[in-house]
Amino acid sequence: MKTTIKHTTLSLFLALGFTASAQESTLPEEFELPKNTVKAVISYADFEIPKQHFAIRPHHQTYTFQNNRLINYQQSDSTKDWKADINYHYENGQLKSKETVESSKAGMEYKTYKYRTEIKDYKTTYFKIYHTGELDKTIAFYNEAGELRGKSIYNVHGKRTQQIEYNGKEGYRIRKYHNDELMSEITHFNHDGKLTKTVTNVMPGGADEVKVMTLYYYTPKGDPRQMVDFVTVTKNTAQKLSKTTYVDYLYDGDIWVAKIEYGTATKNPGKIVATIRTIETPEKTYHAPSDEQLKTFCQETYQKYLKL
């Protein structure tokens, strides 16, 4: 029973992801897009297991960039008659405001967020001001050479939610907190500019501590192709292989336009999901594959999944 609790705790915690902070993602590479992206449209397709039924989802996302900064983001779902439209405004290269409009059958909802930056010595503080008047903040610390050494992230209640320590090109460590209690510590290890390993400790130092080591492997084009997880459920025990995740791609030139993640944890019955991208750059537009190509891609990936 104790092991089950630990696995459940780990799954729930990892599913939470990162806490939103005052520093918004605005660069193309922060959305895993090429640095020179002007526009990107992302959609998804489902391939049911074992029925092998293929369907394009009615939901898609559109990113629009100008001068390497996100100026508009849209989401829509035709089946729900729902759409979100977000506009970003900058001043002297810094994000100043974000306007969100959500429309649905129930009507329209408007929200405005404002941003402020304060610089003092080797510390830069980014404030995000909500439409309610509440604010959260991210404090970035630099050394004398101007290199980022750390970040502290606080929520609207003034409580620290994350502490990030940077070690140059070698990697970085993230500590996550809830109500001032350390919930996890995640260390990222880089080699030649690529993430090669993460070590995650959930509830570090506690009786229910869980440790996960993930190894990352890449395609010749530099995209992740395999992630292998090893888990230590109790202290002072050997790590055991937990799961292996594979990623297959379809490319247009050097840029992937469709990918599927699958692995030993993929459920049957269940589904595999294809992520589909059309990316526009000043030099070229990288086109998403046709529905027929996507269906074939899903079928081929499904055959690989059956051999796991």
Side-chain angles (χ1 to χ4, degrees), residues 59-74:
H59 174 269
H60 72 273
Q61 308 166 62
T62 303
Y63 298 83
T64 304
F65 298 89
Q66 188 176 79
N67 298 324
N68 295 323
R69 295 285 184 179
L70 181 64
I71 60 170
N72 180 261
Y73 170 73
Q74 296 181 3

Side-chain angles (χ1 to χ4, degrees), residues 145-158:
E147 299 170 322
L148 180 63
R149 304 307 298 167
K151 288 182 182 179
S152 296
I153 301 173
Y154 298 84
N155 62 20
V156 296
H157 304 293

Side-chain angles (χ1 to χ4, degrees), residues 225-241:
R225 64 172 176 82
Q226 185 178 355
M227 291 79 77
V228 184
D229 289 348
F230 298 87
V231 176
T232 302
V233 178
T234 56
K235 291 182 177 180
N236 304 318
T237 60
Q239 288 189 329
K240 297 181 179 180
L241 178 63

Side-chain angles (χ1 to χ4, degrees), residues 122-139:
Y122 301 115
K123 181 175 73 174
T124 300
T125 305
Y126 302 89
F127 296 93
K128 178 178 180 180
I129 305 157
Y130 294 81
H131 65 285
T132 58
E134 297 176 305
L135 61 82
D136 58 31
K137 65 182 178 180
T138 297
I139 304 175

Side-chain angles (χ1 to χ4, degrees), residues 1-16 183 202-203 208-210 212 231 233 242:
M1 179 63 70
K2 194 173 184 180
T3 298
T4 303
I5 292 174
K6 290 178 180 177
H7 277 299
T8 303
T9 301
L10 174 64
S11 299
L12 288 174
F13 184 86
L14 294 179
L16 291 177
M183 302 298 293
V202 180
M203 304 301 293
D208 290 332
E209 180 178 6
V210 179
V212 181
V231 176
V233 178
S242 172

Side-chain angles (χ1 to χ4, degrees), residues 235-276:
K235 291 182 177 180
N236 304 318
T237 60
Q239 288 189 329
K240 297 181 179 180
L241 178 63
S242 172
K243 67 175 181 178
T244 302
T245 303
Y246 301 89
V247 190
D248 284 1
Y249 298 91
L250 286 180
Y251 287 92
D252 182 353
D254 291 330
I255 303 299
W256 68 264
V257 291
K259 75 172 182 178
I260 295 175
E261 291 188 16
Y262 63 99
T264 54
T266 302
K267 294 181 180 180
N268 185 1
K271 61 186 175 183
I272 56 176
V273 179
T275 302
I276 310 152

Side-chain angles (χ1 to χ4, degrees), residues 14-300:
L14 294 179
L16 291 177
F18 292 112
T19 305
S21 70
Q23 272 192 293
E24 297 276 343
S25 296
T26 58
L27 303 176
E29 54 266 36
E30 293 174 326
F31 301 96
E32 299 183 358
L33 297 168
K35 290 184 178 180
N36 61 341
T37 299
V38 175
K39 188 174 184 178
V41 179
I42 299 176
S43 56
Y44 303 90
D46 295 326
F47 188 81
E48 293 184 21
I49 299 172
K51 296 179 180 179
Q52 302 188 51
H53 177 260
F54 173 82
I56 301 288
R57 292 186 189 177
H59 174 269
H60 72 273
Q61 308 166 62
T62 303
Y63 298 83
T64 304
F65 298 89
Q66 188 176 79
N67 298 324
N68 295 323
R69 295 285 184 179
L70 181 64
I71 60 170
N72 180 261
Y73 170 73
Q74 296 181 3
Q75 278 194 76
S76 64
D77 189 329
S78 58
T79 58
K80 298 179 181 178
D81 195 21
W82 174 86
K83 182 179 180 180
D85 193 340
I86 306 175
N87 290 302
Y88 296 76
H89 304 279
Y90 300 85
E91 185 177 296
N92 298 323
Q94 297 288 343
L95 181 62
K96 297 299 292 184
S97 65
K98 183 177 75 173
E99 300 166 352
T100 301
V101 180
E102 289 190 29
S103 57
S104 66
K105 294 178 181 178
M108 302 183 71
E109 182 179 3
Y110 300 85
K111 292 180 181 178
T112 299
Y113 305 87
K114 295 182 179 180
Y115 300 81
R116 187 175 81 247
T117 302
E118 293 181 359
I119 301 175
K120 183 178 181 181
D121 298 327
Y122 301 115
K123 181 175 73 174
T124 300
T125 305
Y126 302 89
F127 296 93
K128 178 178 180 180
I129 305 157
Y130 294 81
H131 65 285
T132 58
E134 297 176 305
L135 61 82
D136 58 31
K137 65 182 178 180
T138 297
I139 304 175
F141 303 91
Y142 299 84
N143 60 18
E144 293 183 357
E147 299 170 322
L148 180 63
R149 304 307 298 167
K151 288 182 182 179
S152 296
I153 301 173
Y154 298 84
N155 62 20
V156 296
H157 304 293
K159 291 186 176 294
R160 182 176 57 177
T161 59
Q162 290 186 49
Q163 184 76 34
I164 308 175
E165 302 169 359
Y166 294 93
N167 187 26
K169 296 180 180 179
E170 302 299 317
Y172 59 98
R173 177 181 291 116
I174 301 175
R175 291 186 173 95
K176 296 184 179 183
Y177 299 85
H178 180 68
N179 289 334
D180 298 323
E181 181 181 0
L182 179 62
M183 302 298 293
S184 76
E185 183 177 274
I186 310 169
T187 305
H188 299 69
F189 299 89
N190 296 337
H191 180 70
D192 291 336
K194 291 288 187 183
L195 176 65
T196 56
K197 180 173 73 172
T198 59
V199 177
T200 301
N201 288 282
V202 180
M203 304 301 293
D208 290 332
E209 180 178 6
V210 179
K211 181 178 179 180
V212 181
M213 180 178 72
T214 304
L215 304 179
Y216 299 81
Y217 303 91
Y218 295 85
T219 69
K221 295 181 185 293
D223 297 307
R225 64 172 176 82
Q226 185 178 355
M227 291 79 77
V228 184
D229 289 348
F230 298 87
V231 176
T232 302
V233 178
T234 56
K235 291 182 177 180
N236 304 318
T237 60
Q239 288 189 329
K240 297 181 179 180
L241 178 63
S242 172
K243 67 175 181 178
T244 302
T245 303
Y246 301 89
V247 190
D248 284 1
Y249 298 91
L250 286 180
Y251 287 92
D252 182 353
D254 291 330
I255 303 299
W256 68 264
V257 291
K259 75 172 182 178
I260 295 175
E261 291 188 16
Y262 63 99
T264 54
T266 302
K267 294 181 180 180
N268 185 1
K271 61 186 175 183
I272 56 176
V273 179
T275 302
I276 310 152
R277 309 194 301 183
T278 293
I279 297 174
E280 180 184 339
T281 71
E283 297 79 20
K284 178 182 177 180
T285 297
Y286 300 88
H287 294 281
S290 66
D291 289 0
E292 197 60 38
Q293 290 173 315
L294 283 169
K295 185 175 181 179
T296 300
F297 179 43
C298 289
Q299 291 171 334
E300 292 173 348

